[in-house]
Amino acid sequence: MVKNNVSSLLTSVDELFTTQEERDIAKRETVMDIPLAQISDFPNHPFKVTVDEKMLEMADSVMRYGVLVPAIVRPKQGGGYEMIAGHRRKKASELAERPTLNCIVRDLTDDEAIIIMVDSNLQREVILPSEKAFAYKMKMDAMKRQAGRPSKDNCATPLHNFDGKRSREILAEQTGESHEQIRKFIRLTELIPELLDMVDENKIALRPAVELSYLAEKEQRLLYEEIGYSDCTPSHAQAIKMRKFAEQGQLTAEVISSIMQEEKPNQKEQFRMPREKISKYFPAGTPAEKIEDTIIKALELYRRRQRDMER
């Protein structure tokens, strides 16, 4: 009975931290233990590896049972290995003070490595807008190169080996996102890091963020300074207005300030609560709309219980 319980637990932890594709691969291929010091991160890896509650749980699992599904690496010229899929497992192994990591070693082209890296991470429950933005762009560019077509910024090239479908259409089918949604996410890669962080923090919504991505870097930095000064973020309508001024070469600091001071059409008195007071109740990256819905439902449940107690 104890043996069966341990086996069940291992399977549960396995499924929690890996994708089905990775588990299938592990069953077919031979693995080897590689020192962590010999494994470097994937260049420009778009997915953040943070030491949050889930990472600590994963590290505890690795400490007890080891890494259940091998990572995927490829050899580097000159020695060592490059991580393809398994950055979180590597970090968990470091936290668990394990010197090596079980890995599958594959010879992969740059584009093959990019596609596997992106696909293995898109299975996560919570993915930040910035992570999707750079991951989608990297994969779409890799798909274009594999099809033998030149890569152009934010365009959708027809791929001959996909029945004439465009790269964004193929990516939409693979990810479950709409063609237009993928275009919007990829536009976010044009934002300066400070504004992109605000999108990740749900301070700027996706639609206005897309409009702001068309501003030049200097104009975006002027806007960021104004956001800090006025303590408010642009609405979708304000972002559209800024883009129009920018296209006419007239978006100055004064114009940005004037637009930001305009009262928003739907502006109403709001109750605000510092995010850090409630962040411990939600996973990192949870959208603001979901947080609000959860709080409303909790308050409705509390009100019903209060009424029941008064009867």
Side-chain angles (χ1 to χ4, degrees):
M1 177 65 74
V2 175
K3 183 177 180 180
N4 289 338
N5 287 341
V6 172
S7 176
S8 176
L9 176 60
L10 289 175
T11 300
S12 175
V13 175
D14 180 352
E15 292 179 350
L16 181 61
F17 296 122
T18 61
T19 67
Q20 183 61 51
E21 180 181 8
E22 290 172 309
R23 294 192 288 274
D24 291 341
I25 290 171
K27 293 177 182 177
R28 298 194 303 265
E29 302 190 65
T30 303
V31 301
M32 59 185 290
D33 283 337
I34 299 177
L36 296 180
Q38 295 183 18
I39 306 173
S40 61
D41 291 340
F42 194 90
N44 301 315
H45 189 245
F47 298 93
K48 296 178 174 63
V49 179
T50 56
V51 183
D52 53 16
E53 185 177 348
K54 287 188 176 181
M55 174 59 73
L56 295 177
E57 290 176 2
M58 190 175 186
D60 182 65
S61 170
V62 171
M63 188 180 299
R64 295 182 182 213
Y65 312 113
V67 173
L68 304 175
V69 173
I72 301 175
V73 300
R74 67 171 178 168
K76 292 176 61 178
Q77 289 185 352
Y81 302 88
E82 181 178 277
M83 180 65 74
I84 306 300
H87 289 78
R88 287 174 56 80
R89 275 163 278 176
K90 179 188 174 188
K91 184 62 178 180
S93 297
E94 292 174 353
L95 295 174
E97 298 184 349
R98 285 184 171 258
T100 62
L101 179 65
N102 288 341
C103 297
I104 296 169
V105 181
R106 286 185 179 177
D107 287 319
L108 298 166
T109 66
D110 290 345
D111 292 333
E112 288 171 341
I114 287 172
I115 291 173
I116 292 175
M117 179 275 295
V118 171
D119 288 347
S120 67
N121 281 279
L122 287 178
Q123 306 300 320
R124 294 184 187 180
E125 182 179 349
V126 178
I127 305 177
L128 296 173
S130 65
E131 294 175 326
K132 283 189 176 184
F134 286 100
Y136 287 166
K137 179 172 173 54
M138 290 177 72
K139 181 173 180 179
M140 196 165 75
D141 287 345
M143 291 167 63
K144 294 173 185 176
R145 288 190 294 266
Q146 283 190 330
R149 300 300 297 269
S151 173
K152 297 179 181 179
D153 291 345
N154 300 329
C155 75
T157 305
L159 303 182
H160 291 302
N161 55 337
F162 283 106
D163 297 325
K165 291 184 179 179
R166 295 183 178 275
S167 51
R168 274 208 303 265
E169 293 172 342
I170 299 298
L171 190 53
E173 291 176 0
Q174 294 175 346
T175 62
E177 300 268 20
S178 70
H179 180 288
E180 177 63 12
Q181 194 76 347
I182 288 175
R183 182 195 71 80
K184 290 179 179 178
F185 275 117
I186 292 178
R187 277 302 316 177
L188 298 184
T189 62
E190 302 297 327
L191 289 173
I192 61 173
E194 294 85 348
L195 291 180
L196 188 54
D197 286 342
M198 298 186 77
V199 178
D200 281 344
E201 295 163 1
N202 297 302
K203 294 179 180 177
I204 300 179
L206 179 60
R207 291 174 68 202
V210 169
E211 298 297 330
L212 298 176
S213 72
Y214 289 94
L215 306 186
E217 179 180 349
K218 180 180 179 181
E219 294 165 338
Q220 290 187 40
R221 295 206 174 277
L222 289 174
L223 171 61
Y224 182 70
E225 291 178 6
E226 178 61 29
I227 288 174
Y229 177 77
S230 61
D231 193 27
C232 67
T233 57
S235 65
H236 187 219
Q238 289 172 327
I240 291 175
K241 186 175 292 188
M242 289 182 203
R243 178 182 172 183
K244 289 181 178 179
F245 273 98
E247 290 172 347
Q248 298 168 4
Q250 300 176 354
L251 190 64
T252 63
E254 292 74 19
V255 171
I256 292 174
S257 178
S258 175
I259 293 174
M260 290 291 287
Q261 291 175 20
E262 295 174 358
E263 185 175 356
K264 299 179 179 65
N266 60 346
Q267 196 167 31
K268 297 179 181 179
E269 183 178 357
Q270 297 181 348
F271 172 78
R272 295 188 177 183
M273 178 183 296
R275 191 179 181 90
E276 57 268 21
K277 285 190 175 183
I278 57 175
S279 59
K280 64 180 180 180
Y281 300 107
F282 300 92
T286 302
E289 292 83 1
K290 186 173 182 180
I291 292 177
E292 182 178 334
D293 290 343
T294 302
I295 292 174
I296 294 298
K297 290 177 181 178
L299 290 173
E300 289 175 349
L301 178 61
Y302 172 77
R303 184 172 61 179
R304 286 200 297 269
R305 288 182 177 177
Q306 290 293 105
R307 288 176 178 174
D308 291 341
M309 292 175 62
E310 292 172 358
R311 292 175 181 171

